[in-house]
Amino acid sequence: MTYCVGLLLNAGMVLLSDTRTNAGIDNISTYRKMFTFEEPGERVIAILTAGSLSTTQTTIARLEEAINDPDAPSIMTAGTMLNVAEMVGDTLSDVSSKVADKLGSKAQSARASMIVAGQRRDGAPRMFLVYSEGNFIEATSDTPFLQIGEHKYGKPILDRVVKPNTSLAEAQKAALLSMDSTLRSNLSVGLPLDLAVIETDACRVTRQRRIEADDEVYQKMSADWSIALRESFANIEIEGAPGD
Amino acid sequence: MTYCVGLLLNAGMVLLSDTRTNAGIDNISTYRKMFTFEEPGERVIAILTAGSLSTTQTTIARLEEAINDPDAPSIMTAGTMLNVAEMVGDTLSDVSSKVADKLGSKAQSARASMIVAGQRRDGAPRMFLVYSEGNFIEATSDTPFLQIGEHKYGKPILDRVVKPNTSLAEAQKAALLSMDSTLRSNLSVGLPLDLAVIETDACRVTRQRRIEADDEVYQKMSADWSIALRESFANIEIEGAPGD
């Protein structure tokens, strides 16, 4: 499995993905699930992927092929971010169907989903969750984050702290702690992590890092969070008994 | 959906279930999902249910019918808690198959699962998660809790704080906070809640409460936990930047 999360804030977008891929629990590999495309100052797009690796790799390869073909329409030439989401959706749906045809009765495992985030010059930053069928939903100020893969473990912390006016520093912390909860509770999600920050109107990837398993800053944050949670838990006083 | 959790500790067992049942999102009702059976001092059994309401109601009804029939073997006369789990499993599997036959192609929705917890005099407290097919797994000191239904949102807090030597008071708090995270992140799980505590070797239900939506103690705990989480989040300092 996978866990990827994207936060759409006033100050910009924060994207985080894990790298664990497994074909059965005894065949575990590390694959990048974050892909960024940029023409600095003009356009920036990040795509995060979850689901069938054969479907997502082929989809990304096709999108890249189109970018490199001067005659083909591509996500780097599409008129709007909405067109970009449609283009990713159409490609994903097409690849997913073809892989499903080959798999026959195991077609379920050809499914994949993607978070598509980006901004073009003169446009607003936008973020979409594209489903296997090619349809998509968009992040809004009511719901300023999107998740794909093993999304449930890490949702409570996001529900509580992420608002459109959350700063980029706080948002990175929220994304990393959401990932931390998922890593602890689900073996199919694993380090290293890929983190990207796209500041609003920069139209470029402002910051991109790979966080390895031995990253001291991440380890300390994770340990501090464990201690803080345990202390918070210990400090909650139930006065009386619920239900009495 | 549903969220039920059972904790098996040295001091006893803590069981918590929600009550929301839905047939489609526009048909929401309240049904008890916790059933207790006791012959005080001799035997105590608690069953928590998730999944198809028609399957779980019929299964519980059959188990009760057997208890009331002096000639039939029942969970109140079974030799061991393992036999109890097997009896629940066989009944659940049988009912689930019959409901699935009636549903035809919609057979998936006849599935259900149960947590079976209890102790008989001279036996140890044991807790099982029984699947729709009738097979089951047992809680151990390595994994001292079992969950059914929407289990992912509330797992991180349990993973962090529940150990076999956790006290019954702390365990009730952990179960309630695990439920609180689930209630916040998933609309298909809802108040009121049913809470039961079975102390080790008491062979009776030590404490059983219904916690209504307006329960002040629960509301205060939930609000305190929100504040504590937000404060913990605010206090986590990331020194430097992960990945740098």
Side-chain angles (χ1 to χ4, degrees):
Chain A
M1 278 293 283
T2 291
Y3 178 50
C4 299
V5 57
L7 284 69
L8 174 67
L9 312 156
N10 300 338
M13 297 186 278
V14 171
L15 302 148
L16 183 67
S17 60
D18 83 316
T19 52
R20 185 157 295 174
T21 299
N22 62 303
I25 57 164
D26 56 349
N27 187 357
I28 291 175
S29 317
T30 297
Y31 281 93
R32 173 173 283 274
K33 300 173 192 172
M34 180 184 291
F35 304 87
T36 54
F37 307 88
E38 59 181 345
E39 190 186 335
E42 285 294 323
R43 176 177 305 228
V44 58
I45 295 167
I47 300 180
L48 312 185
T49 67
S52 159
L53 184 63
S54 97
T55 297
T56 59
Q57 282 189 333
T58 306
T59 302
I60 296 293
R62 281 216 203 162
L63 294 171
E64 284 173 340
E65 215 169 65
I67 291 171
N68 294 328
D69 178 350
D71 300 328
S74 85
I75 58 172
M76 293 307 279
T77 58
T80 65
M81 275 304 300
L82 186 71
N83 294 150
V84 170
E86 284 167 346
M87 206 172 270
V88 173
D90 290 345
T91 310
L92 176 58
S93 160
D94 188 46
V95 172
S96 177
S97 303
K98 289 213 169 98
V99 175
D101 284 348
K102 286 181 196 156
L103 290 174
S105 63
K106 290 176 183 164
Q108 187 62 20
S109 60
R111 294 182 60 80
S113 55
M114 298 187 173
I115 291 174
V116 178
Q119 185 177 17
R120 63 182 174 87
R121 189 161 58 86
D122 304 328
R126 297 177 75 172
M127 187 178 290
F128 302 89
L129 193 170
V130 183
Y131 295 102
S132 219
E133 290 73 14
N135 58 327
F136 48 82
I137 59 172
E138 183 169 4
T140 65
S141 56
D142 286 331
T143 306
F145 61 88
L146 294 171
Q147 304 170 289
I148 52 177
E150 279 290 351
H151 62 281
K152 295 186 180 181
Y153 305 103
K155 186 163 182 282
I157 180 70
L158 300 177
D159 280 334
R160 285 178 200 268
V161 304
V162 179
K163 305 277 179 298
N165 62 359
T166 301
S167 73
L168 289 176
E170 292 292 280
Q172 289 178 70
K173 192 163 80 175
L176 289 167
L177 293 176
S178 171
M179 178 66 79
D180 186 55
S181 291
T182 311
L183 291 170
R184 273 170 193 269
S185 290
N186 194 304
L187 267 187
S188 73
V189 178
L191 291 153
L193 310 176
D194 288 309
L195 173 71
V197 178
I198 298 173
E199 279 177 35
T200 297
D201 295 337
C203 289
R204 75 180 70 224
V205 179
T206 318
R207 181 159 186 273
Q208 189 158 19
R209 294 288 184 281
R210 170 151 289 196
I211 301 168
E212 301 287 347
D214 61 357
D215 186 279
E216 287 178 14
V217 176
Y218 179 79
Q219 283 181 349
K220 179 166 185 314
M221 182 209 70
S222 172
D224 286 351
W225 181 238
S226 266
I227 293 166
L229 280 184
R230 288 210 189 85
E231 282 178 0
S232 297
F233 178 78
N235 290 337
I236 293 285
E237 302 229 347
I238 302 188
E239 289 155 27
D244 279 350
Chain B
M1 276 294 284
T2 292
Y3 177 51
C4 298
V5 56
L7 285 68
L8 174 66
L9 312 155
N10 300 338
M13 297 186 278
V14 171
L15 303 148
L16 183 67
S17 60
D18 83 316
T19 53
R20 185 157 296 176
T21 300
N22 63 302
I25 58 164
D26 57 350
N27 187 356
I28 292 175
S29 317
T30 297
Y31 281 93
R32 174 172 284 273
K33 302 173 190 171
M34 180 185 292
F35 303 87
T36 54
F37 307 88
E38 60 181 345
E39 190 186 336
E42 285 294 321
R43 175 176 307 226
V44 59
I45 295 168
I47 301 181
L48 312 185
T49 67
S52 160
L53 184 63
S54 97
T55 297
T56 59
Q57 281 189 333
T58 305
T59 303
I60 295 292
R62 281 216 204 163
L63 293 172
E64 284 173 341
E65 215 169 64
I67 291 171
N68 294 328
D69 178 350
D71 300 328
S74 84
I75 58 172
M76 293 307 280
T77 58
T80 64
M81 275 304 301
L82 185 71
N83 295 149
V84 171
E86 284 166 346
M87 207 172 271
V88 174
D90 290 346
T91 310
L92 176 59
S93 160
D94 189 45
V95 172
S96 176
S97 304
K98 290 213 168 100
V99 175
D101 284 348
K102 286 180 196 156
L103 290 175
S105 63
K106 291 176 181 161
Q108 186 64 20
S109 60
R111 294 180 60 79
S113 56
M114 298 188 173
I115 291 174
V116 178
Q119 184 177 17
R120 64 181 174 88
R121 190 162 57 85
D122 304 330
R126 296 176 76 172
M127 188 178 290
F128 302 88
L129 193 170
V130 182
Y131 296 102
S132 219
E133 290 74 13
N135 58 327
F136 48 83
I137 58 172
E138 184 170 2
T140 65
S141 56
D142 286 331
T143 306
F145 61 88
L146 295 171
Q147 304 169 289
I148 53 177
E150 279 290 350
H151 62 282
K152 294 185 180 181
Y153 304 103
K155 187 163 182 280
I157 181 69
L158 300 176
D159 279 336
R160 285 179 202 266
V161 303
V162 179
K163 305 276 179 298
N165 62 0
T166 301
S167 72
L168 289 177
E170 292 292 281
Q172 289 178 71
K173 191 164 80 177
L176 288 167
L177 293 176
S178 171
M179 179 65 78
D180 186 55
S181 291
T182 311
L183 290 170
R184 273 171 193 269
S185 291
N186 195 303
L187 268 188
S188 73
V189 178
L191 291 153
L193 309 176
D194 288 309
L195 173 70
V197 178
I198 298 172
E199 278 177 33
T200 297
D201 294 338
C203 289
R204 75 180 71 224
V205 179
T206 318
R207 181 161 186 272
Q208 188 158 20
R209 293 289 184 280
R210 170 152 288 197
I211 302 167
E212 300 288 347
D214 61 357
D215 186 279
E216 288 178 13
V217 176
Y218 179 80
Q219 283 182 349
K220 178 167 186 314
M221 182 207 72
S222 173
D224 287 351
W225 182 238
S226 266
I227 294 165
L229 281 184
R230 290 212 187 84
E231 282 178 0
S232 297
F233 179 79
N235 290 336
I236 293 285
E237 302 229 345
I238 302 189
E239 289 154 27
D244 280 350

